[in-house]
Amino acid sequence: MDIRAADSGHRHPRPSKTRQIDALTAAGCRHIFADKRKAALRPELTACHDFLTASDTLIVPSPDRYGRSLQDLITMVSELCQREIGFTSLHERLDTTTPGGRLVLHVFGALAEFIRELIVIRTNEGLAAARPRGRVGGRPPRPPPT
């Protein structure tokens, strides 16, 4: 059975959320879980995970709509795989029910982590190069009150 929790949104569905629900419906999803608003706790996502059983497939419009971070995404997909639940992304055509799909997910995850680490290294190098010139990172100090 194909099931999905659509991305969180507002009280009135935004066009992006409507597009997500339309895409999931066109993909043949029988149950769509959609959070009503943005929140730290995602009750509909929890309800979706509770609803899923072995041999189901969780379909998402895009992986960034499912996980809040790369680590979050990989953790949740790993938990689904342990429960024998498939994971499919419509936008990336990613399907973890196949060995190739699992490989691609892990390669994407490794590349994203690598890019993040490069950004951190370059930022620190830039800050270190700027310090001898009297520049420091961050927001300029506020002018004193008059």
Side-chain angles (χ1 to χ4, degrees), residues 11-34:
R11 180 174 293 154
H12 303 290
R14 297 182 311 201
S16 63
K17 187 173 180 181
T18 304
R19 279 193 306 270
Q20 291 175 39
I21 292 172
D22 290 346
L24 294 168
T25 303
C29 295
R30 289 195 256 167
H31 298 279
I32 297 177
F33 295 85

Side-chain angles (χ1 to χ4, degrees), residues 68-136:
R68 301 218 181 222
S69 67
L70 174 65
Q71 185 61 43
D72 191 31
L73 174 67
I74 290 174
T75 300
M76 289 193 296
V77 171
S78 295
E79 289 171 1
L80 292 175
C81 288
Q82 288 173 356
R83 293 174 53 196
E84 299 179 7
I85 297 169
F87 175 81
T88 301
S89 168
L90 296 177
H91 187 261
E92 287 78 11
R93 302 273 187 228
L94 182 65
D95 184 358
T96 64
T97 61
T98 66
R102 287 188 295 277
L103 173 67
V104 169
L105 176 69
H106 288 285
V107 168
F108 282 173
L111 287 173
E113 187 173 339
F114 174 71
I115 290 169
R116 183 188 169 283
E117 289 177 8
L118 285 179
I119 291 169
V120 169
I121 289 169
R122 289 180 184 148
T123 300
N124 289 335
E125 287 174 352
L127 290 170
R131 275 189 211 103
R133 296 185 193 98
R135 304 212 20 114
V136 293

